[in-house]
Amino acid sequence: MNIAFTEEQEMLRTSARDFVEKECPARLVRQIEESEGGYSPELWRKMADLGWMGLVIPEEYGGVGGSFLDLLLLIEEMGRGCLPGPFLSTLVLGALPIMAAGTAEQKEEFLPKIAQGEMILALALTEPSARWDAASIAVGAVSEKEQYIINGTKLFIEYAHIADYLLCVARTKDAPTGRGEDGLSLFLVDARSPGLKCTPFKTIGSVPQCEVVFDNVVVPAKNMLGERDRGWPVVKDMLERGAIAKCAESIGGARQVVEMTVAYAKERVAYGRTIASFQTVQHMCVSMLSYADTARNITYEAAWRLSEGLPCAKQVASAKAWASEAYERITKMGAHLHGAIGFTRDHDLGLYYRRAKAATLAFGDPDHQREVVAREIGL
Amino acid sequence: MDFRFTPEQEAAREEYDAFFDEVMKEAPENWLGTLEDVYSTKEGNDFHRRVARMLGEKGWLTMVWPKEYGGQEATRVAQLIFLESMGEHGAPGYDTQGVGMLAPTLIRHASEEIKREFLPPIARGEVTVCQAWSEPNAGSDLAALTTRAVEDGDDFVLNGQKTWTSGAHFADFMYVIARTNPEELRHRGLSYFVLNMKETPGLTIRPVLSMDGHHLWDEVFFDDARIPKRNLVGEKNRGWYVVLSGMEHERSSLGGWVIECNQHLKKLVQFCQETNRGSEPLAKKPLVRHRLAQMAIEIEVGRSLQYRLAMLADQGALPMHEASAAKLYASELYTRFSETVMEILGLYGAVTHGSKWAPFLGTFEFLYQMAPGWELAAGSTEVQKNVIAQWGLEFPRPY
């Protein structure tokens, strides 16, 4: 057993931290928040030039063949700096499932472009039911000769409006009662397809989401990812990796809030002394630290299990529930300890406070995760 | 990063499980798997001692000790694997005060003569040990203690009172912190002693019952209690530093509470599957499911924290605030767990040990009454937070 990251991983972290601090200051984060696209093509290009888009993509497709843990380190650092953009969506929800379930032809077509930073992907999974389970998927795909025709509405789809391709989860067969996992298939849908209508809206976490309406959208059969009707295991794996990536982003943000708050407490003076000298303030900071450290432990332990292919449904769900609630509590305590200044639009604290709530909701909120854990412990 | 057990560790775990499966068949009737079993009845304490000797023979008490004192210099992770198996079986035999706390302190600070006298019986599981630190007016503020130790010929003569001394009524050895220089304030002027209680005149032990009526703790009175000078551990007047190094051992060895909760959670899951309230089993009620799941999550987090601590210790340095963070988490988990269980059991949860209506022989009413104690023992919640604030976050001493 060994809890340490490798030297290479530590170097990756350091360079990522430097990059985010230098290239993505809070000023830019705010600017991007106000923009239509919700990301910066220039920043995306710089990240691609560093090789980040190709980090987990195999060498034969123009990447460097790094590990899922490497990817998490990057995402953690992005979370620390609130770096906006479709990185998680393109890499974790796009590249990884294509690597896992794609045909040689699909890999050839998509992976090199992703690695070069020339392709953005979005996962079109959730629908107006706002659920993450298989049974709730109603968007349907009907086969017709060498193609499929997709109809229905996806909702809460992050970055769909700037994506080149959408990975759409659709029903290709009516599911028998109680077995919603049956009959789901995945499609790589060209975002410029006729009949596809994407309407973005803003969210508390500043990641633009979209309503995506499929109106007789035609997809060539060769763009089906994985087996017909048996797409759910691919989605499940994607959701677990997405949840863990969201945990990594959260702990990056959480640690930053702890550091900001501790530093502020040491300089803010009240009653003639720094507020850091009050035990109440100290103990709140300790609780924040404890949440951040425990969330980080459980996240990387679950991530390790996931990347080793070991059974980990309970660990992943535990990590997501704990890290989400930890991040929320940390930002709430952080906001409180900053006093009224932390409540203003101008202060960075709000960037994290809002993202913590959005992170909690992504890939299954804590109640969803608790239900997963309940089943895993035999209830 | 690698969380995998080695094949040797997997095999060891199987060996421990098989051993404890066997051993626990001999457990006294109504064994709950808590500290109460070990300290509150003679029968339970005898069973604890029987198991301790077996563990001693196997070499499992001294895994992490240096080889020259009979240990194997195993990793803390290896030891944690053993402790987890023991905890999941609710098995006794590992005396935290002796094996986990006094022994490493002696190995680090005591003279060779004292090591030769006190370590072997601890290693063989022949003795139990108690800690005489807290006093009626020195709890969280331990350095305010007033028990005196005065040099007289070849001896130190002790006078004063200790309290909350776990298991003193069954203990053989005791370690004490007392004031040797009354001129010096607070932590300066304290010294650390170890003594054989059977050879020490002037000791009086009186029970302190906890709120559920069980006898786990004692008051200890020293009336001209004489101990040989050689029983001083570390330098005279510098006992505080010996205490501090022991605290780290104590706080980092309390992960057993997490395992204890896990053991209880498994029983509770089964109970909820088998018990109907209204028209369906408790296990079908969303609120019950979510509460138990939340406990499973918090246990998972706690377990992860214990392994982190063990791995940090194996890497060489275990910062004091990390040990405090683990103690803090484990004791608060224990509290939340006991509250959750009581809420799920409803009226049945409050029925005490001995009634046929008490689920799990009353384990959980006991847990519920023990929980406040664990948030005080080995440094209160607030003391741990102070340690983390000052060492982990570099805050000034609080106002």
Side-chain angles (χ1 to χ4, degrees):
Chain A
M1 272 200 170
N2 174 15
I3 202 173
F5 291 104
T6 63
E7 211 170 299
E8 289 78 16
Q9 285 172 330
E10 292 295 352
M11 278 163 61
L12 177 66
R13 174 190 300 287
T14 309
S15 69
R17 185 167 299 186
D18 292 346
F19 176 85
V20 174
E21 274 173 17
K22 184 161 156 276
E23 302 293 344
C24 187
R27 177 178 40 80
L28 180 63
V29 174
R30 289 202 166 76
Q31 231 172 31
I32 296 172
E33 278 193 350
E34 299 302 325
S35 73
E36 273 301 299
Y39 91 115
S40 152
E42 297 77 35
L43 188 61
W44 186 258
R45 178 42 46 209
K46 287 181 192 167
M47 288 158 62
D49 290 345
L50 283 177
W52 287 8
M53 310 307 168
L55 187 67
V56 287
I57 290 175
E59 286 176 37
E60 51 183 313
Y61 300 110
V64 294
S67 69
F68 182 55
L69 286 177
D70 297 340
L71 193 62
L72 293 181
L73 283 179
L74 275 191
I75 293 173
E76 186 185 341
E77 292 307 317
M78 292 180 192
R80 186 181 173 88
C82 296
L83 189 148
F87 187 82
L88 193 157
S89 151
T90 301
L91 272 300
V92 179
L93 310 176
L96 291 181
I98 292 172
M99 280 158 58
T103 61
E105 195 189 346
Q106 287 167 345
K107 290 179 189 173
E108 201 60 58
E109 185 186 348
F110 288 92
L111 297 179
K113 287 187 192 140
I114 295 173
Q116 292 303 313
E118 283 159 11
M119 183 181 275
I120 289 170
L121 281 98
L123 172 65
L125 170 68
T126 45
E127 300 186 2
S129 65
R131 293 163 58 99
W132 298 88
D133 62 328
S136 65
I137 292 168
V139 165
V142 181
S143 78
E144 193 176 282
K145 292 175 195 158
E146 288 302 296
Q147 58 195 29
Y148 282 84
I149 298 171
I150 304 181
N151 275 294
T153 300
K154 294 287 182 183
L155 195 60
F156 314 111
I157 309 308
E158 296 191 347
Y159 292 111
H161 64 307
I162 56 158
D164 299 293
Y165 270 81
L166 303 179
L167 183 49
C168 175
V169 184
R171 195 159 285 292
T172 38
K173 190 180 82 179
D174 287 340
T177 316
R179 299 194 46 198
E181 303 86 23
D182 272 12
L184 293 176
S185 306
L186 282 79
F187 298 92
L188 286 154
V189 184
D190 189 330
R192 293 157 305 182
S193 305
L196 190 72
K197 188 163 170 263
C198 204
T199 316
F201 48 88
K202 293 197 168 184
T203 64
I204 187 172
S206 298
V207 172
Q209 294 182 347
C210 301
E211 178 198 46
V212 183
V213 179
F214 291 79
D215 180 11
N216 287 318
V217 173
V218 176
V219 184
K222 71 177 176 62
N223 279 20
M224 179 183 286
L225 183 68
E227 285 181 69
R228 183 184 158 140
D229 298 336
R230 294 185 187 158
W232 184 249
V234 179
V235 179
K236 191 165 169 280
D237 186 62
M238 204 189 312
L239 289 178
E240 286 183 341
R241 287 177 193 271
I244 288 298
K246 198 45 94 171
C247 290
E249 188 185 294
S250 299
I251 60 183
R255 276 156 68 101
Q256 173 64 11
V257 173
V258 175
E259 287 173 28
M260 277 163 62
T261 307
V262 167
Y264 181 72
K266 287 177 182 175
E267 65 185 46
R268 170 72 181 180
V269 173
Y271 306 101
R273 47 176 58 85
T274 64
I275 63 169
S277 57
F278 299 117
Q279 201 171 37
T280 305
V281 172
Q282 289 192 359
H283 287 190
M284 276 179 84
C285 290
V286 166
S287 295
M288 292 168 71
L289 178 70
S290 167
Y291 277 124
D293 284 351
T294 49
R296 191 154 192 276
N297 274 337
I298 187 92
T299 293
Y300 277 105
E301 192 174 332
W304 177 83
R305 293 187 73 88
L306 188 57
S307 60
E308 292 292 310
L310 299 166
C312 60
K314 180 184 167 197
Q315 283 85 357
V316 169
S318 296
K320 180 61 175 56
W322 185 260
S324 293
E325 293 188 334
Y327 193 16
E328 277 193 15
R329 285 173 194 157
I330 285 168
T331 54
K332 282 173 191 170
M333 287 189 274
H336 186 78
L337 289 175
H338 273 83
I341 191 73
F343 183 70
T344 60
R345 186 75 178 173
D346 283 343
H347 197 278
D348 290 351
L349 204 278
L351 298 175
Y352 296 90
Y353 185 92
R354 291 185 280 117
R355 277 165 180 77
K357 176 41 85 183
T360 295
L361 302 173
F363 306 107
D365 66 10
D367 279 343
H368 172 95
Q369 306 298 348
R370 278 187 277 270
E371 186 51 38
V372 173
V373 172
R375 285 196 300 270
E376 288 293 316
I377 61 175
L379 284 173
Chain B
M1 185 164 283
D2 185 358
F3 293 89
R4 202 187 308 272
F5 293 125
T6 63
E8 292 76 29
Q9 288 170 337
E10 297 275 8
R13 171 74 205 227
E14 279 176 28
E15 190 187 352
Y16 304 144
D17 285 345
F19 171 83
F20 284 120
D21 282 343
E22 238 1 82
V23 161
M24 291 312 287
K25 289 180 187 161
E26 308 288 316
E29 213 181 330
N30 297 345
W31 184 266
L32 305 179
T34 65
L35 208 57
E36 177 198 38
D37 302 307
V38 174
Y39 284 149
S40 65
T41 67
K42 175 81 171 61
E43 193 192 12
N45 195 259
D46 286 346
F47 179 60
H48 159 73
R49 282 173 182 261
R50 226 166 36 243
V51 179
R53 279 170 193 267
M54 291 161 135
L55 299 181
E57 257 173 53
K58 295 261 186 196
W60 291 344
L61 295 177
T62 53
M63 281 185 203
V64 295
W65 293 18
K67 286 190 174 144
E68 59 172 316
Y69 300 109
Q72 300 151 39
E73 295 179 10
T75 59
R76 291 281 285 268
V77 168
Q79 178 176 254
L80 185 52
I81 292 167
F82 167 77
L83 292 174
E84 280 199 334
S85 172
M86 192 180 82
E88 280 177 20
H89 287 82
Y94 184 93
D95 177 27
T96 305
Q97 290 298 332
V99 179
M101 214 171 151
L102 176 61
T105 304
L106 293 183
I107 288 168
R108 190 155 155 200
H109 298 281
S111 68
E112 211 44 44
E113 190 184 4
I114 287 297
K115 286 181 196 172
R116 297 284 163 215
E117 180 180 346
F118 286 90
L119 290 177
I122 295 175
R124 290 193 296 265
E126 290 170 3
V127 290
T128 66
V129 176
C130 65
Q131 175 198 79
W133 282 4
S134 296
E135 298 183 1
N137 290 310
S140 287
D141 185 13
L142 183 60
L145 64 88
T146 57
T147 293
R148 285 291 315 275
V150 178
E151 284 184 83
D152 181 32
D154 292 335
D155 297 330
F156 280 97
V157 179
L158 273 65
N159 279 288
Q161 185 195 345
K162 297 288 179 180
T163 190
W164 325 127
T165 309
S166 310
H169 51 296
F170 286 125
D172 306 280
F173 297 166
M174 171 184 279
Y175 55 103
V176 190
I177 176 101
R179 194 164 292 284
T180 36
N181 184 352
E183 306 298 314
E184 286 282 10
L185 286 173
R186 301 188 51 79
H187 65 278
R188 291 183 290 271
L190 300 176
S191 299
Y192 187 110
F193 303 94
V194 60
L195 60 90
N196 185 330
M197 294 166 73
K198 310 284 181 255
E199 295 170 2
T200 308
L203 284 183
T204 308
I205 313 284
R206 281 193 208 147
V208 177
L209 301 187
S210 49
M211 66 169 89
D212 64 356
H214 286 112
H215 180 193
L216 281 81
W217 292 288
D218 299 282
E219 295 177 297
V220 178
F221 296 87
F222 298 87
D223 294 302
D224 288 331
R226 276 186 180 271
I227 47 177
K229 269 190 179 165
R230 62 188 170 85
N231 287 26
L232 175 69
V233 178
E235 285 176 53
K236 187 180 160 189
N237 296 333
R238 291 183 59 80
W240 184 250
Y241 304 98
V242 184
V243 165
L244 287 184
S245 81
M247 279 178 178
E248 178 213 292
H249 288 293
E250 184 176 39
R251 288 170 188 170
S252 62
S253 67
L254 299 174
W257 295 336
V258 177
I259 304 309
E260 195 186 320
C261 291
N262 199 33
Q263 184 221 132
H264 295 317
L265 179 69
K266 286 179 187 167
K267 288 190 278 187
L268 206 61
V269 166
Q270 195 185 347
F271 175 85
C272 290
Q273 285 162 337
E274 294 166 354
T275 307
N276 282 336
R277 291 280 184 271
S279 58
E280 58 180 9
L282 278 171
K284 293 274 179 222
K285 295 185 184 293
L287 201 57
V288 170
R289 296 172 70 78
H290 281 211
R291 282 180 168 185
L292 289 180
Q294 183 61 25
M295 285 302 111
I297 290 167
E298 295 186 16
I299 288 166
E300 197 71 31
V301 170
R303 192 167 173 261
S304 172
L305 195 58
Q306 294 306 322
Y307 274 97
R308 172 190 164 77
L309 210 62
M311 284 187 267
L312 284 177
D314 285 339
Q315 282 169 21
L318 180 61
M320 183 148 69
H321 67 271
E322 295 270 5
S324 285
K327 191 274 165 178
L328 177 63
Y329 184 89
S331 62
E332 291 190 333
L333 168 63
Y334 198 94
T335 297
R336 288 193 298 270
F337 185 80
S338 69
E339 289 165 355
T340 302
V341 181
M342 289 297 269
E343 284 162 14
I344 289 174
L345 295 179
L347 286 169
Y348 285 95
V351 182
T352 54
H353 194 69
S355 162
K356 67 170 182 171
W357 299 108
F360 307 102
L361 304 167
T363 304
F364 297 115
E365 52 97 2
F366 170 70
L367 243 67
Y368 188 72
Q369 294 175 78
M370 275 302 284
W374 292 145
E375 286 206 45
L376 299 170
S380 69
T381 297
E382 288 67 31
V383 165
Q384 308 301 348
K385 287 184 176 176
N386 287 350
V387 170
I388 300 166
Q390 282 157 59
W391 276 272
L393 294 172
E394 294 171 352
F395 276 134
R397 287 188 71 84
Y399 171 66

